[in-house]
């Protein structure tokens, strides 16, 4: 599969030809450059893990919501401790995922 990148906004397009206009910023076709084959392979190889990172991030944000409800309900100290520790863990993992995704973007493992 060929891929093209908008040089204005970095939007990635898949297809034999670049689009007439960038769907994101409206830049004309001429503003697209073809992504070299080795870079395309790297993007394709990284897609499953990138998608798993975003799924995991959503699940962790759901954990944060559950914990916040539990903390608010404030039944007893044992429960509060579990909700607070779980919330901290989920927030820390969410920060790690964001950092990892930034590394992927910087290394061309995103698109
Ligand atoms: Zn664009």
């Amino acid at each position: 599969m060929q891929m093209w990148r908008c040089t204005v906004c970095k939007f990635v397009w898949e297809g034999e030809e670049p689009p007439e206009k960038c769907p994101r910023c409206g830049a004309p076709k001429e503003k697209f450059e073809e992504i070299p084959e080795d870079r395309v392979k790297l993007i394709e190889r990284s897609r499953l893990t990138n998608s798993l990172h975003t799924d995991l991030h959503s699940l962790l944000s759901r954990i944060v919501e559950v914990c916040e409800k539990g903390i608010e309900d404030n039944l007893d100290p044992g429960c509060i401790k579990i909700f607070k520790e779980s919330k901290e863990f989920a927030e820390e993992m969410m920060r790690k995922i964001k950092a990892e995704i930034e590394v992927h973007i910087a290394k061309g493992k995103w698109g």
Side-chain angles (χ1 to χ4, degrees):
M1 173 65 81
Q2 281 166 281
M3 288 189 194
W4 308 81
R5 190 184 309 275
C6 174
T7 56
V8 177
C9 75
K10 310 294 181 203
F11 181 88
V12 173
W13 175 266
E14 287 177 39
E16 284 179 28
E17 295 287 325
E20 289 305 316
K21 258 171 58 175
C22 175
R24 183 167 180 269
C25 74
K29 191 177 189 168
E30 299 72 45
K31 292 286 181 185
F32 276 81
E33 61 183 18
E34 188 170 3
I35 301 174
E37 200 185 327
D38 59 323
R39 307 300 290 178
V40 169
K41 284 198 173 125
L42 188 60
I43 290 170
E44 286 173 342
R45 173 62 189 92
S46 307
R47 281 196 167 154
L48 175 61
T49 286
N50 287 336
S51 154
L52 294 172
H53 274 306
T54 55
D55 285 353
L56 185 56
H57 192 277
S58 303
L59 292 170
L60 290 163
S61 81
R62 179 79 186 106
I63 289 173
V64 170
E65 284 172 28
V66 168
C67 292
E68 283 171 349
K69 272 189 194 167
I71 292 165
E72 198 184 312
D73 190 40
N74 198 16
L75 182 65
D76 61 55
C79 299
I80 296 287
K81 188 173 184 299
I82 288 169
F83 291 132
K84 281 189 173 167
E85 284 174 9
S86 301
K87 183 176 180 245
E88 278 168 26
F89 170 79
E91 286 171 341
E92 186 188 335
M93 294 314 295
M94 287 165 78
R95 286 192 292 271
K96 286 183 181 177
I97 289 168
K98 281 183 203 159
E100 190 60 34
I101 287 172
E102 277 188 34
V103 169
H104 285 201
I105 291 168
K107 287 184 173 172
K109 293 179 176 177
W110 192 271

